[in-house]
Amino acid sequence: MPLQDVSVKIDLVKPVGLVGLGKPLILAEKAGDSSIKTYSEIDAVKADFPVTTEAYKKAAAIFAQENRPANLAIATYDPAGVPANTAVDAVSKYYDQDWFFLVTADAELSDQLAVADYIESKKFKMYATRTVDTESRNAFKTKDYDYVIDFYHPTEGEHAEAALIGEAGSQMVGSITWKFKTLKGITPIDVPADELALIHNDGAIAYVTKAGIPQTSEGIVASGEYIDVMHGKSWIKTNIETSIQKAFADNGKVSFDARGIALLDGSVTTVLQQGFKQGIIAIDGDNNPLYTVTTKAREEMPAAERAQRIYNGLSFSFELAGAIHEANIKGQIAA
């Protein structure tokens, strides 16, 4: 992560300028020194990666979607070069750059798992991969990843995971669930209900037809948690860190007393209120947002922490809005 003086830890308890977090990064093999570059149109990608390359195909799938991101980045690594000669080397080198969703273009399964391990260890950004059989699905399922999206799509030549990131990744965090999404250029697979249940049990999603509409079958990460939950959690974390870091920078001094503590309280509350407006945070029956912000007064803090100018007295909690993915409806016909 970039340099900062603020750290936010969110424990997900069940039941219970802002950063957008939508830009994709494609990792691709390319001879020469490792580099990273941002593209806003597919024609610009073609100038650096021929249409026959996996990098171009992933980018094309992203840019083809109705709700495509404004831009994407491609980072390269050279298997014959140094020092970035693997996908993990590249993602490590560019982790702090401006991107959130990762897609790999040329990595084999073992390399994909290594990338997934790295992303999971950071517990912030997300990696979307495509699996094509039970073996590859299980390879991700056994790791129980919270930050990895496994899109099972055995159709050759179609990049379902890239299309999903292109369609859903850049929409306002909290405003959508990742289930029910229609993807351009992706063909639904024909699977019976029991097989689809096995796919979901493996922590993967698929692209199917329901009620005549092509759509994503679920919206989960490999652990079974929901993608929008993990995306929302990262959004809250980074925006609170950014908001408080900005409060430190914009004020001559944030005093260790009621004035400074109130400033930090207000910074956190502003982010949570925006999270509520976006649909990340739930409301109660009276339409009040279900979050709390708690602070401790100066006199409640240990003298040693005051001397070191470290304030550990602020905490918050919220209830996730979630989404409805199924409905069981009872009806009655009068005689």
Side-chain angles (χ1 to χ4, degrees):
M1 295 294 289
L3 294 174
Q4 59 189 41
D5 301 298
V6 185
S7 178
V8 174
K9 179 180 180 181
I10 299 177
D11 293 319
L12 194 59
V13 180
K14 287 186 168 184
V16 287
L18 298 174
V19 180
L21 303 190
K23 184 177 178 179
L25 171 69
I26 300 170
L27 290 184
E29 290 185 7
K30 189 177 184 181
D33 292 340
S34 174
S35 65
I36 187 169
K37 183 177 178 180
T38 293
Y39 303 86
S40 58
E41 297 294 341
I42 192 61
D43 285 344
V45 175
K46 185 164 57 176
D48 294 329
F49 296 90
V51 296
T52 55
T53 62
E54 292 298 298
Y56 177 89
K57 294 172 184 177
K58 301 289 185 186
I62 291 171
F63 279 142
Q65 304 311 308
E66 182 175 348
N67 292 292
R68 51 153 282 184
N71 48 56
L72 58 80
I74 301 179
T76 66
Y77 59 97
D78 183 356
V82 290
N85 59 5
T86 69
V88 173
D89 290 338
V91 72
S92 175
K93 180 180 177 70
Y94 300 112
Y95 187 83
D96 290 336
Q97 297 289 319
D98 176 25
W99 59 272
F100 186 79
F101 290 105
L102 178 67
V103 174
T104 48
D106 304 294
E108 299 294 332
L109 180 58
S110 60
D111 294 321
Q112 293 170 19
L113 290 167
V115 168
D117 287 342
Y118 182 86
I119 292 295
E120 188 73 13
S121 72
K122 294 294 187 177
K123 298 191 180 302
F124 180 62
K125 296 183 178 184
M126 302 186 76
Y127 172 42
T129 189
R130 181 174 74 98
T131 54
V132 297
D133 52 33
T134 303
E135 180 183 0
S136 56
R137 286 205 315 258
N138 287 338
F140 288 95
K141 174 58 179 175
T142 55
K143 296 294 190 80
D144 209 34
Y145 295 117
D146 281 329
Y147 294 86
V148 176
I149 303 165
D150 178 3
F151 205 133
Y152 172 71
H153 195 72
T155 306
E156 187 175 351
E158 295 189 351
H159 304 274
E161 85 289 9
L164 177 66
I165 296 307
E167 174 59 26
S170 293
Q171 296 193 54
M172 183 183 293
V173 183
S175 67
I176 64 165
T177 175
W178 291 54
K179 187 177 181 180
F180 314 116
K181 295 297 170 281
T182 297
L183 307 176
K184 292 185 177 180
I186 306 302
T187 307
I189 62 173
D190 185 12
V191 292
D194 56 349
E195 184 177 344
L196 184 59
L198 289 175
I199 293 170
H200 294 163
N201 189 59
D202 286 343
I205 66 175
Y207 196 59
V208 299
T209 300
K210 293 183 180 180
I213 303 172
Q215 57 191 272
T216 50
S217 65
E218 250 305 344
I220 57 174
V221 293
S223 68
E225 184 55 270
Y226 293 101
I227 301 170
D228 60 292
V229 167
M230 302 311 300
H231 200 193
K233 179 180 174 181
S234 292
W235 187 96
I236 293 289
K237 171 182 167 63
T238 195
N239 280 290
I240 287 179
E241 289 176 345
T242 301
S243 180
I244 293 183
Q245 190 74 51
K246 189 173 187 299
F248 288 148
D250 290 349
N251 291 273
K253 180 177 74 172
V254 177
S255 54
F256 208 128
D257 57 20
R259 294 167 296 178
I261 293 169
L263 180 62
L264 301 185
D265 184 318
S267 297
V268 173
T269 299
T270 297
V271 173
L272 294 178
Q273 184 64 24
Q274 182 63 33
F276 159 66
K277 290 179 180 178
Q278 291 185 195
I280 299 171
I281 297 173
I283 62 173
D284 63 18
D286 296 320
N287 293 324
N288 297 311
L290 289 170
Y291 67 78
T292 59
V293 181
T294 304
T295 58
K296 292 182 179 179
R298 170 188 169 88
E299 54 270 22
E300 295 179 89
M301 303 307 298
E305 291 184 10
R306 296 202 304 268
Q308 293 175 338
R309 301 191 171 191
I310 299 173
Y311 182 67
N312 291 319
L314 193 154
S315 60
F316 64 91
S317 64
F318 60 88
E319 292 190 29
L320 291 160
I324 298 173
H325 279 191
E326 296 182 19
N328 298 309
I329 301 170
K330 295 181 179 180
Q332 183 176 354
I333 300 175

